[in-house]
Amino acid sequence: MLLTGDNAAVAASVAEQVGIDPGPDTVIAEVLPADKVEVVKRLQAEGKSVAMVGDGVNDAAALAQADLGLAMGTGTDVAIEASDLTLVRGDLRAAADAIRLSRKTLGTIKTNLFWAFAYNVAALPLAAAGLLNPMLAGAAMAFSSVFVVSNSQRLRRFRAANDAAGDATRDAAGATGRATGPRVAA
């Protein structure tokens, strides 16, 4: 969906460039800032998760209301402060790449936590009971740390979907999360 304060002709042109089907429910032009917030709230009331990308003062309230607010780094300070994530450059394609990278990062975190807890649940009680040689327990703990670091290093191989441009990968990997109160989730 494209929600913009620009006129209908500009909105249709942008929708075509980014691959949004230009329909009355998918491209909404000449929207006031308060109406952007209402559209975000309506979509959330329908049970949808809403990501909003914006760059201006007029987008700030909707960025703050959205489940995920993404500001363009080339935008205003107000939009950047209201967002959850700031894309380093003003390339809209980097938004999808940042979301993909975030999902991969969350998966890696969950895997690392599983193996760290599995080690602690299995090896530590055995070592405490004297059933496991302390040297082996120490080696296993070191291996656990090496595993977590090595597993995390796999994220460095992330490539943007549209890597033909080359810079999009650096944008997604260089996206900065901004701590904005209780809305930030790990």
Side-chain angles (χ1 to χ4, degrees), residues 29-185:
E30 300 175 8
V31 181
L32 298 173
D35 295 334
K36 290 180 183 180
V37 173
E38 290 306 314
V39 171
V40 170
K41 286 182 179 178
R42 177 179 53 84
L43 291 169
Q44 289 172 328
E46 293 172 4
K48 296 179 180 171
S49 294
V50 179
M52 168 80 180
V53 180
D55 66 352
V57 173
N58 293 337
D59 299 321
L63 287 169
Q65 176 64 44
D67 297 305
L68 174 62
L70 296 115
M72 299 302 211
T74 57
T76 64
D77 289 343
V78 174
I80 290 170
E81 202 55 43
S83 69
D84 299 308
L85 185 78
T86 300
L87 300 174
V88 177
R89 289 188 324 132
D91 185 359
L92 186 59
R93 295 171 297 184
D97 293 328
I99 291 170
R100 282 185 39 245
L101 178 59
S102 297
R103 288 181 176 152
K104 286 187 176 292
T105 301
L106 186 59
T108 299
I109 290 169
K110 288 179 179 178
T111 301
N112 289 345
L113 285 173
F114 170 79
W115 287 109
F117 283 125
Y119 163 77
N120 287 325
V121 166
L124 288 180
L126 291 174
L131 301 173
L132 182 63
N133 183 327
M135 294 297 284
L136 288 176
M141 185 172 235
F143 174 75
S144 172
S145 297
V146 169
F147 172 80
V148 166
V149 171
S150 299
N151 190 40
S152 298
Q153 288 295 319
R154 292 181 315 122
L155 292 171
R156 295 176 60 96
R157 293 187 304 212
F158 177 84
R159 294 291 173 251
N162 46 19
D163 207 12
D167 293 332
T169 301
R170 286 187 294 280
D171 281 347
T176 58
R178 304 213 26 152
T180 55
R183 294 170 23 109
V184 175

